[in-house]
Amino acid sequence: MSFIEIENVSKIYGEGATEVKALDNVSFKIEKGEIVVILGASGAGKSTLLNILGGMDNLTSGSYKMDGEEVGNYNSKELENFRRNNIGFVFQFYNLMNNLTALENVEIAASLVKNPLSSIDMLEKVDLAKRKNNYPGELSGGEQQRVSIARALVKNPKLLLCDEPTGALDSKTGISIIKLLYEISREENTTVIIVTHNSSLKDIATHLIRIADGKIIENTYQEKKENVDEIKW
Ligand code: ADP
C-alpha cells in the first residue's frame, strides 16, 4: 500500500455542451517522504488536482486513498476534518492574517488541531523565532512564506501541499524556500507536494508528475538533489 493512491480519477465540471473534463482518468501513487512536483501549464488541471488532494473538492469518479482510507467518498464534514488534521497548506500569496503577529498566525493554526507541535519551535525551524512579534506587513515576502510554512507544519500534517510556493518570490528567495522544504522533508520524512507551472522546479522533485489537458503525460522518479542552489529560474 502506498501513502497516496490516486486511481482513475476524473473530475468533470458542468454538463452537456458546457462540460469540462478537468481531470481525465488520472492514476498515480506517492510514497511517504517524496518531494513531488506536479507540473503543468495553465488550464492543465493542476488546481483541480490540488483541490482533490487537499480535500477541498470531491471526485466525479475514481478513488483517492491516503493511508488506505478512501477519501474520495468523504462527505463535506469528513473532508473538513481530513483537511484540518492531515494537510498543511502553503499558498502562493501566504494568506497570513495581517492583524496577527507571526507567532499568533502559527498559534491560531495550532489551536485548530488535536495534537499540535510547538508554535515557537516551528518558527525556530523556519529561522524566524526572532521575528515572532512582527506583523506580516513588517516581513519580506520570503519571511512571510516562512511563517506560512511554520503555520502549515505546526499541525504536524501528513502532507504538505504547496500551491506555487515560490510564485510571488524572486529566484534567490524562492530557492531558499525550496531548500527549507527539502530540509523539512529530510528531517521529518514529510511528504511534500509542490504544484507549479514553473518548469525550473522539475529538477528539485524526487517524483515528477506532469499533466496536460487533464491527463498525466509523465510520471518519473529522480535522485534527491544534493545542491538545490544549482537551480535557476
Ligand atoms: P490549472 O490549475 O492547471 O490552471 P485548473 O485545474 O484550474 O487548471 O483547470 C482545468 C480545466 O478545468 C480548465 O479548462 C478550467 O477552465 C476548468 N475548470 C476549473 N474549475 C472549473 C469550474 N469550477 N467550473 C468549470 N470549469 C472549471
Side-chain angles (χ1 to χ4, degrees):
M1 182 181 80
S2 297
F3 171 48
I4 287 174
E5 297 180 349
I6 291 274
E7 223 175 282
N8 304 117
V9 166
S10 292
K11 177 73 186 182
I12 296 169
Y13 293 110
E15 43 186 82
T18 61
E19 181 178 295
V20 177
K21 220 172 201 178
L23 290 177
D24 186 2
N25 210 23
V26 165
S27 301
F28 58 83
K29 291 177 177 171
I30 292 174
E31 307 298 338
K32 281 221 161 76
E34 287 184 351
I35 299 176
V36 184
V37 170
I38 297 178
L39 182 67
S42 173
K46 299 185 299 296
S47 306
T48 305
L49 188 51
L50 177 104
N51 288 343
I52 285 173
L53 288 167
M56 290 169 286
D57 206 352
N58 48 23
L59 332 173
T60 305
S61 60
S63 157
Y64 168 22
K65 289 201 185 93
M66 180 180 282
D67 279 335
E69 271 267 325
E70 182 57 66
V71 180
N73 291 338
Y74 281 175
N75 63 30
S76 58
K77 185 71 201 161
E78 289 167 325
L79 281 179
E80 191 185 322
N81 280 329
F82 169 80
R83 278 197 300 276
R84 180 177 301 165
N85 293 308
N86 298 315
I87 316 288
F89 292 100
V90 176
F91 304 98
Q92 179 172 2
F93 296 110
Y94 332 125
N95 291 18
L96 298 174
M97 312 265 272
N98 288 322
N99 56 337
L100 300 180
T101 64
L103 183 60
E104 288 166 346
N105 265 284
V106 181
E107 284 172 342
I108 202 162
S111 72
L112 296 174
V113 295
K114 272 193 269 281
N115 295 308
L117 303 174
S118 147
S119 296
I120 191 68
D121 284 359
M122 292 307 108
L123 276 185
E124 190 80 62
K125 187 182 273 296
V126 301
D127 206 16
L128 271 187
K130 57 191 177 300
R131 307 297 301 276
K132 66 182 191 318
N133 294 324
N134 284 106
Y135 292 89
E138 299 167 342
L139 300 172
S140 70
E143 288 166 343
Q144 290 184 62
Q145 193 59 302
R146 283 172 186 272
V147 175
S148 95
I149 291 170
R151 176 187 57 187
L153 291 175
V154 80
K155 295 162 67 171
N156 199 13
K158 286 185 181 171
L159 172 65
L160 196 56
L161 199 47
C162 309
D163 188 8
E164 300 280 8
T166 62
L169 303 172
D170 62 76
S171 166
K172 189 162 163 271
T173 311
I175 288 163
S176 76
I177 292 296
I178 295 295
K179 272 174 107 165
L180 176 62
L181 294 172
Y182 248 74
E183 270 169 41
I184 290 162
S185 156
R186 192 167 42 223
E187 285 166 18
E188 321 286 343
N189 204 34
T190 308
T191 310
V192 179
I193 300 182
I194 298 170
V195 176
T196 186
H197 71 279
N198 181 351
S199 60
S200 310
L201 290 184
K202 73 179 190 309
D203 295 336
I204 61 128
T206 63
H207 183 177
L208 176 66
I209 297 173
R210 205 192 279 257
I211 62 172
D213 286 330
K215 296 190 180 74
I216 307 276
I217 55 167
E218 185 179 349
N219 185 13
T220 50
Y221 295 87
Q222 0 189 79
E223 287 290 311
K224 210 165 207 169
K225 229 180 162 46
E226 285 302 322
N227 194 353
V228 181
D229 291 308
E230 288 165 10
I231 299 158
K232 292 191 182 66
W233 67 81

